[in-house]
Amino acid sequence: MEEIILTPPVTDSDVGKLKSGDRVLITGDIFTGRDAAHKRLVDLLDEGNDLPFDIKGQIIYFVGPTPARPGQPIGSAGPTTSYRMDAYSPRLIAQGLKGMIGKGARSSEVLEAMQRFKCVYFAAIGGAGALISRCIKRSEIIAYEDLGPEAIRRLRVERFPVFVVNDIYGNDLYKAGLKQYARL
Amino acid sequence: MRRKGKPKPTSLVLSNSMKQIRCKKIIEQVKKMCMEANFELGDDVLQAFNAAQADEESPIGKEIMGILIENARIAQDESIPMCQDTGFAVFFVELGDDVRIVDGNLIEAINEGVRQGYAEGYLRKSICHPFTRKNTGDNTPAIVHIEPVPGDQLKIIFAPKGGGSENMSRVTMLRPSDGKKGIKEFVVNRVRESGANPCPPTIVGVGIGGTFEKAALLAKKALLRPLSSVHPDAELAAFEKEILQAINDSGIGPQGLGGRTTSLAVHIELFPCHIASLPVAVNINCHAHRHKEVIL
């Protein structure tokens, strides 16, 4: 199978090539954010302020890692459940966010925003935080240090394995999996 | 008033038969359990992973099971948490009637052990205020369920619980007329609706009976049973199997990407209930099914 390597900043053309079910290896810089950080980002937009990083073409990974041991860039770092970010994601997608990494299904509002503004949703393997941490070579907090595990970090990743769940054409890997394997 | 020359028989008997356990020892053991549970997956879970990997029909599901086995190996070898969600620190304590905790308070000792274990083990602190969402900073308070039992032992079971799977758990008050069919439907639907969210393959704890809160506690307790075990009650063993089959027919599969292995086990705990009620609770656990036990 041909390897698909994706490096942010991601363009509309990159996004257009990705199909639900593709395995993708992400190499480059991505940003972390989960519940509390998402709320703050959207609050900033509501107040008419700039985000703490340029979100255009970027990928947000829904993760709250464990603290790094001395000498390590990061601790365990698997995905958290994505639906909790559903209330916020469409706003960020409209600002130019091109990819999200998490686990679990998204709301119809998020899926609509993804198709409209060209953004893909990837699943990383939940509960494989030890293994995923090996793909993370560097980590620095860029905003909201007070949030501890929920702070926004810039991660340098190498060959971070993810699956395309929702592409911009309306395909859904979760639904396809059910269709193929359900015995109902 | 003390009478001259006469001993106090009751207090003498008490002090002789009570086993004293120092809080310092409890703190040490809890600290160790917090770290070990998050680094080392139990053999029962690893065996279930291996079996699922062998049996899984979906290539992607098979691959994911392999990744989870590899993840567990890395976690153990490198003392890194297998999952970044190192959980709410939940404890089930069996406190012998003949045990006396000295040099402090049992719950405070457990919280101190959690504080130390989560700091020294570089575990994530995941506990916050419900409104402000401000983190308590040390993963306390722990949730501690204490049950008095006969004997002179103190048994502490640690079962850290991740938020993703806990969020998918529910309690319902069925009508007695709903019966076993209604119970099965509720449990299976809960797992189906949860999809990929609770990190399948999951372990499903089911509490049936009691009151509203008892059912929830039974469901959580059901998760503690080893995965390889069969329920001692034949009817419940068969019911567990039937529900597991229905869950695994859903096609959700490992990580919700399609396959046969949606849950590794269904465990039921039963308790009598009110003539008007049929409480049922479902407590879902992710595949990072962590538990450690110590007896003092």
Side-chain angles (χ1 to χ4, degrees), chain A residues 150-171:
Chain A
E150 299 202 64
I152 296 184
R153 292 168 167 82
R154 183 189 288 116
L155 303 183
R156 170 67 52 88
V157 296
E158 267 177 40
R159 299 175 69 83
F160 174 17
V162 294
F163 297 94
V164 178
V165 174
N166 299 104
D167 58 27
I168 59 167
Y169 308 105
N171 298 306

PDB file of all heavy atoms in Angstrom, chain A residues 150-171:
ATOM      1  N   GLU A 150      -4.407  20.424  29.744  1.00  0.00           N
ATOM      2  CA  GLU A 150      -5.267  20.957  28.684  1.00  0.00           C
ATOM      3  C   GLU A 150      -4.655  22.160  27.962  1.00  0.00           C
ATOM      4  O   GLU A 150      -5.291  22.759  27.101  1.00  0.00           O
ATOM      5  CB  GLU A 150      -6.632  21.347  29.262  1.00  0.00           C
ATOM      6  CG  GLU A 150      -7.383  20.181  29.872  1.00  0.00           C
ATOM      7  CD  GLU A 150      -8.880  20.434  29.938  1.00  0.00           C
ATOM      8  OE1 GLU A 150      -9.492  20.559  28.872  1.00  0.00           O
ATOM      9  OE2 GLU A 150      -9.409  20.521  31.057  1.00  0.00           O
ATOM     10  N   ALA A 151      -3.433  22.525  28.323  1.00  0.00           N
ATOM     11  CA  ALA A 151      -2.769  23.654  27.663  1.00  0.00           C
ATOM     12  C   ALA A 151      -2.607  23.367  26.174  1.00  0.00           C
ATOM     13  O   ALA A 151      -2.597  22.208  25.748  1.00  0.00           O
ATOM     14  CB  ALA A 151      -1.398  23.883  28.292  1.00  0.00           C
ATOM     15  N   ILE A 152      -2.481  24.421  25.368  1.00  0.00           N
ATOM     16  CA  ILE A 152      -2.237  24.217  23.931  1.00  0.00           C
ATOM     17  C   ILE A 152      -0.735  24.048  23.708  1.00  0.00           C
ATOM     18  O   ILE A 152       0.073  24.866  24.137  1.00  0.00           O
ATOM     19  CB  ILE A 152      -2.776  25.394  23.093  1.00  0.00           C
ATOM     20  CG1 ILE A 152      -4.303  25.460  23.242  1.00  0.00           C
ATOM     21  CG2 ILE A 152      -2.369  25.242  21.626  1.00  0.00           C
ATOM     22  CD1 ILE A 152      -4.967  26.518  22.378  1.00  0.00           C
ATOM     23  N   ARG A 153      -0.402  22.933  23.074  1.00  0.00           N
ATOM     24  CA  ARG A 153       1.007  22.629  22.792  1.00  0.00           C
ATOM     25  C   ARG A 153       1.233  22.561  21.295  1.00  0.00           C
ATOM     26  O   ARG A 153       0.330  22.174  20.551  1.00  0.00           O
ATOM     27  CB  ARG A 153       1.374  21.261  23.398  1.00  0.00           C
ATOM     28  CG  ARG A 153       1.384  21.240  24.910  1.00  0.00           C
ATOM     29  CD  ARG A 153       1.452  19.810  25.444  1.00  0.00           C
ATOM     30  NE  ARG A 153       1.759  19.792  26.879  1.00  0.00           N
ATOM     31  CZ  ARG A 153       0.865  19.968  27.840  1.00  0.00           C
ATOM     32  NH1 ARG A 153      -0.401  20.154  27.549  1.00  0.00           N
ATOM     33  NH2 ARG A 153       1.228  19.948  29.117  1.00  0.00           N
ATOM     34  N   ARG A 154       2.436  22.901  20.890  1.00  0.00           N
ATOM     35  CA  ARG A 154       2.840  22.623  19.518  1.00  0.00           C
ATOM     36  C   ARG A 154       3.674  21.345  19.583  1.00  0.00           C
ATOM     37  O   ARG A 154       4.662  21.281  20.318  1.00  0.00           O
ATOM     38  CB  ARG A 154       3.661  23.776  18.927  1.00  0.00           C
ATOM     39  CG  ARG A 154       4.034  23.511  17.457  1.00  0.00           C
ATOM     40  CD  ARG A 154       5.032  24.515  16.906  1.00  0.00           C
ATOM     41  NE  ARG A 154       4.437  25.827  16.694  1.00  0.00           N
ATOM     42  CZ  ARG A 154       4.814  26.935  17.346  1.00  0.00           C
ATOM     43  NH1 ARG A 154       5.791  26.878  18.231  1.00  0.00           N
ATOM     44  NH2 ARG A 154       4.240  28.089  17.094  1.00  0.00           N
ATOM     45  N   LEU A 155       3.254  20.338  18.843  1.00  0.00           N
ATOM     46  CA  LEU A 155       3.971  19.061  18.844  1.00  0.00           C
ATOM     47  C   LEU A 155       4.666  18.869  17.517  1.00  0.00           C
ATOM     48  O   LEU A 155       4.081  19.105  16.457  1.00  0.00           O
ATOM     49  CB  LEU A 155       2.998  17.878  19.030  1.00  0.00           C
ATOM     50  CG  LEU A 155       2.079  17.838  20.259  1.00  0.00           C
ATOM     51  CD1 LEU A 155       1.272  16.532  20.231  1.00  0.00           C
ATOM     52  CD2 LEU A 155       2.881  17.934  21.550  1.00  0.00           C
ATOM     53  N   ARG A 156       5.908  18.429  17.578  1.00  0.00           N
ATOM     54  CA  ARG A 156       6.587  17.985  16.357  1.00  0.00           C
ATOM     55  C   ARG A 156       6.421  16.463  16.295  1.00  0.00           C
ATOM     56  O   ARG A 156       6.890  15.750  17.180  1.00  0.00           O
ATOM     57  CB  ARG A 156       8.080  18.364  16.435  1.00  0.00           C
ATOM     58  CG  ARG A 156       8.972  17.758  15.355  1.00  0.00           C
ATOM     59  CD  ARG A 156       8.685  18.285  13.952  1.00  0.00           C
ATOM     60  NE  ARG A 156       8.693  19.747  13.859  1.00  0.00           N
ATOM     61  CZ  ARG A 156       9.776  20.487  13.629  1.00  0.00           C
ATOM     62  NH1 ARG A 156      10.949  19.906  13.470  1.00  0.00           N
ATOM     63  NH2 ARG A 156       9.673  21.793  13.543  1.00  0.00           N
ATOM     64  N   VAL A 157       5.694  16.010  15.273  1.00  0.00           N
ATOM     65  CA  VAL A 157       5.455  14.568  15.171  1.00  0.00           C
ATOM     66  C   VAL A 157       6.134  13.977  13.953  1.00  0.00           C
ATOM     67  O   VAL A 157       6.356  14.682  12.948  1.00  0.00           O
ATOM     68  CB  VAL A 157       3.937  14.236  15.137  1.00  0.00           C
ATOM     69  CG1 VAL A 157       3.259  14.644  16.429  1.00  0.00           C
ATOM     70  CG2 VAL A 157       3.232  14.882  13.948  1.00  0.00           C
ATOM     71  N   GLU A 158       6.470  12.709  14.055  1.00  0.00           N
ATOM     72  CA  GLU A 158       7.052  11.992  12.918  1.00  0.00           C
ATOM     73  C   GLU A 158       6.286  10.708  12.696  1.00  0.00           C
ATOM     74  O   GLU A 158       6.172   9.876  13.592  1.00  0.00           O
ATOM     75  CB  GLU A 158       8.527  11.650  13.220  1.00  0.00           C
ATOM     76  CG  GLU A 158       9.493  12.697  12.706  1.00  0.00           C
ATOM     77  CD  GLU A 158      10.929  12.363  13.099  1.00  0.00           C
ATOM     78  OE1 GLU A 158      11.295  11.170  13.051  1.00  0.00           O
ATOM     79  OE2 GLU A 158      11.647  13.306  13.461  1.00  0.00           O
ATOM     80  N   ARG A 159       5.727  10.589  11.520  1.00  0.00           N
ATOM     81  CA  ARG A 159       4.985   9.382  11.134  1.00  0.00           C
ATOM     82  C   ARG A 159       3.949   8.994  12.191  1.00  0.00           C
ATOM     83  O   ARG A 159       3.908   7.858  12.656  1.00  0.00           O
ATOM     84  CB  ARG A 159       5.956   8.232  10.842  1.00  0.00           C
ATOM     85  CG  ARG A 159       6.907   8.534   9.694  1.00  0.00           C
ATOM     86  CD  ARG A 159       7.930   7.437   9.489  1.00  0.00           C
ATOM     87  NE  ARG A 159       7.339   6.207   8.982  1.00  0.00           N
ATOM     88  CZ  ARG A 159       7.072   5.978   7.697  1.00  0.00           C
ATOM     89  NH1 ARG A 159       7.352   6.880   6.793  1.00  0.00           N
ATOM     90  NH2 ARG A 159       6.521   4.840   7.319  1.00  0.00           N
ATOM     91  N   PHE A 160       3.145   9.949  12.558  1.00  0.00           N
ATOM     92  CA  PHE A 160       2.069   9.729  13.524  1.00  0.00           C
ATOM     93  C   PHE A 160       0.915   9.050  12.761  1.00  0.00           C
ATOM     94  O   PHE A 160       0.327   9.641  11.857  1.00  0.00           O
ATOM     95  CB  PHE A 160       1.658  11.096  14.091  1.00  0.00           C
ATOM     96  CG  PHE A 160       0.462  11.103  15.014  1.00  0.00           C
ATOM     97  CD1 PHE A 160      -0.024   9.946  15.611  1.00  0.00           C
ATOM     98  CD2 PHE A 160      -0.184  12.298  15.302  1.00  0.00           C
ATOM     99  CE1 PHE A 160      -1.120   9.968  16.470  1.00  0.00           C
ATOM    100  CE2 PHE A 160      -1.278  12.341  16.155  1.00  0.00           C
ATOM    101  CZ  PHE A 160      -1.751  11.165  16.728  1.00  0.00           C
ATOM    102  N   PRO A 161       0.590   7.787  13.113  1.00  0.00           N
ATOM    103  CA  PRO A 161      -0.390   7.036  12.311  1.00  0.00           C
ATOM    104  C   PRO A 161      -1.842   7.378  12.679  1.00  0.00           C
ATOM    105  O   PRO A 161      -2.233   7.285  13.839  1.00  0.00           O
ATOM    106  CB  PRO A 161      -0.086   5.574  12.668  1.00  0.00           C
ATOM    107  CG  PRO A 161       0.506   5.620  14.038  1.00  0.00           C
ATOM    108  CD  PRO A 161       1.154   6.979  14.208  1.00  0.00           C
ATOM    109  N   VAL A 162      -2.610   7.758  11.669  1.00  0.00           N
ATOM    110  CA  VAL A 162      -4.037   8.062  11.872  1.00  0.00           C
ATOM    111  C   VAL A 162      -4.845   7.509  10.687  1.00  0.00           C
ATOM    112  O   VAL A 162      -4.280   7.201   9.633  1.00  0.00           O
ATOM    113  CB  VAL A 162      -4.285   9.589  11.992  1.00  0.00           C
ATOM    114  CG1 VAL A 162      -3.643  10.151  13.249  1.00  0.00           C
ATOM    115  CG2 VAL A 162      -3.784  10.341  10.759  1.00  0.00           C
ATOM    116  N   PHE A 163      -6.139   7.381  10.908  1.00  0.00           N
ATOM    117  CA  PHE A 163      -7.045   6.941   9.848  1.00  0.00           C
ATOM    118  C   PHE A 163      -7.956   8.110   9.480  1.00  0.00           C
ATOM    119  O   PHE A 163      -8.418   8.832  10.367  1.00  0.00           O
ATOM    120  CB  PHE A 163      -7.938   5.792  10.338  1.00  0.00           C
ATOM    121  CG  PHE A 163      -7.190   4.559  10.719  1.00  0.00           C
ATOM    122  CD1 PHE A 163      -6.809   4.327  12.040  1.00  0.00           C
ATOM    123  CD2 PHE A 163      -6.879   3.592   9.760  1.00  0.00           C
ATOM    124  CE1 PHE A 163      -6.123   3.180  12.401  1.00  0.00           C
ATOM    125  CE2 PHE A 163      -6.192   2.441  10.119  1.00  0.00           C
ATOM    126  CZ  PHE A 163      -5.809   2.234  11.441  1.00  0.00           C
ATOM    127  N   VAL A 164      -8.238   8.270   8.202  1.00  0.00           N
ATOM    128  CA  VAL A 164      -9.224   9.280   7.804  1.00  0.00           C
ATOM    129  C   VAL A 164     -10.606   8.698   8.097  1.00  0.00           C
ATOM    130  O   VAL A 164     -10.975   7.665   7.537  1.00  0.00           O
ATOM    131  CB  VAL A 164      -9.124   9.643   6.302  1.00  0.00           C
ATOM    132  CG1 VAL A 164     -10.208  10.659   5.933  1.00  0.00           C
ATOM    133  CG2 VAL A 164      -7.751  10.180   5.974  1.00  0.00           C
ATOM    134  N   VAL A 165     -11.351   9.335   8.998  1.00  0.00           N
ATOM    135  CA  VAL A 165     -12.713   8.879   9.289  1.00  0.00           C
ATOM    136  C   VAL A 165     -13.688   9.607   8.373  1.00  0.00           C
ATOM    137  O   VAL A 165     -14.439   8.988   7.638  1.00  0.00           O
ATOM    138  CB  VAL A 165     -13.078   9.129  10.773  1.00  0.00           C
ATOM    139  CG1 VAL A 165     -14.548   8.770  11.007  1.00  0.00           C
ATOM    140  CG2 VAL A 165     -12.189   8.312  11.693  1.00  0.00           C
ATOM    141  N   ASN A 166     -13.662  10.944   8.429  1.00  0.00           N
ATOM    142  CA  ASN A 166     -14.556  11.749   7.595  1.00  0.00           C
ATOM    143  C   ASN A 166     -13.745  12.557   6.603  1.00  0.00           C
ATOM    144  O   ASN A 166     -12.922  13.384   6.997  1.00  0.00           O
ATOM    145  CB  ASN A 166     -15.390  12.701   8.457  1.00  0.00           C
ATOM    146  CG  ASN A 166     -16.264  11.954   9.450  1.00  0.00           C
ATOM    147  OD1 ASN A 166     -15.965  11.897  10.639  1.00  0.00           O
ATOM    148  ND2 ASN A 166     -17.332  11.362   8.958  1.00  0.00           N
ATOM    149  N   ASP A 167     -13.989  12.297   5.305  1.00  0.00           N
ATOM    150  CA  ASP A 167     -13.346  13.111   4.282  1.00  0.00           C
ATOM    151  C   ASP A 167     -14.291  14.260   3.899  1.00  0.00           C
ATOM    152  O   ASP A 167     -15.367  14.393   4.494  1.00  0.00           O
ATOM    153  CB  ASP A 167     -12.951  12.239   3.067  1.00  0.00           C
ATOM    154  CG  ASP A 167     -14.145  11.510   2.448  1.00  0.00           C
ATOM    155  OD1 ASP A 167     -15.275  12.016   2.581  1.00  0.00           O
ATOM    156  OD2 ASP A 167     -13.944  10.440   1.853  1.00  0.00           O
ATOM    157  N   ILE A 168     -13.897  15.039   2.886  1.00  0.00           N
ATOM    158  CA  ILE A 168     -14.740  16.203   2.552  1.00  0.00           C
ATOM    159  C   ILE A 168     -15.873  15.816   1.603  1.00  0.00           C
ATOM    160  O   ILE A 168     -16.651  16.657   1.188  1.00  0.00           O
ATOM    161  CB  ILE A 168     -13.904  17.356   1.929  1.00  0.00           C
ATOM    162  CG1 ILE A 168     -13.208  16.894   0.657  1.00  0.00           C
ATOM    163  CG2 ILE A 168     -12.902  17.893   2.940  1.00  0.00           C
ATOM    164  CD1 ILE A 168     -12.643  18.056  -0.155  1.00  0.00           C
ATOM    165  N   TYR A 169     -15.959  14.521   1.276  1.00  0.00           N
ATOM    166  CA  TYR A 169     -17.001  14.073   0.343  1.00  0.00           C
ATOM    167  C   TYR A 169     -18.191  13.431   1.063  1.00  0.00           C
ATOM    168  O   TYR A 169     -19.050  12.826   0.441  1.00  0.00           O
ATOM    169  CB  TYR A 169     -16.400  13.102  -0.682  1.00  0.00           C
ATOM    170  CG  TYR A 169     -15.174  13.696  -1.344  1.00  0.00           C
ATOM    171  CD1 TYR A 169     -13.886  13.266  -0.994  1.00  0.00           C
ATOM    172  CD2 TYR A 169     -15.300  14.730  -2.270  1.00  0.00           C
ATOM    173  CE1 TYR A 169     -12.767  13.843  -1.564  1.00  0.00           C
ATOM    174  CE2 TYR A 169     -14.186  15.314  -2.843  1.00  0.00           C
ATOM    175  CZ  TYR A 169     -12.922  14.869  -2.493  1.00  0.00           C
ATOM    176  OH  TYR A 169     -11.820  15.457  -3.044  1.00  0.00           O
ATOM    177  N   GLY A 170     -18.159  13.511   2.392  1.00  0.00           N
ATOM    178  CA  GLY A 170     -19.297  12.982   3.144  1.00  0.00           C
ATOM    179  C   GLY A 170     -19.167  11.513   3.523  1.00  0.00           C
ATOM    180  O   GLY A 170     -20.111  10.917   4.047  1.00  0.00           O
ATOM    181  N   ASN A 171     -18.014  10.908   3.259  1.00  0.00           N
ATOM    182  CA  ASN A 171     -17.834   9.505   3.646  1.00  0.00           C
ATOM    183  C   ASN A 171     -17.452   9.408   5.117  1.00  0.00           C
ATOM    184  O   ASN A 171     -16.817  10.304   5.668  1.00  0.00           O
ATOM    185  CB  ASN A 171     -16.743   8.853   2.796  1.00  0.00           C
ATOM    186  CG  ASN A 171     -17.115   8.851   1.332  1.00  0.00           C
ATOM    187  OD1 ASN A 171     -18.179   8.379   0.957  1.00  0.00           O
ATOM    188  ND2 ASN A 171     -16.246   9.422   0.502  1.00  0.00           N
TER     189      ASN A 171
END
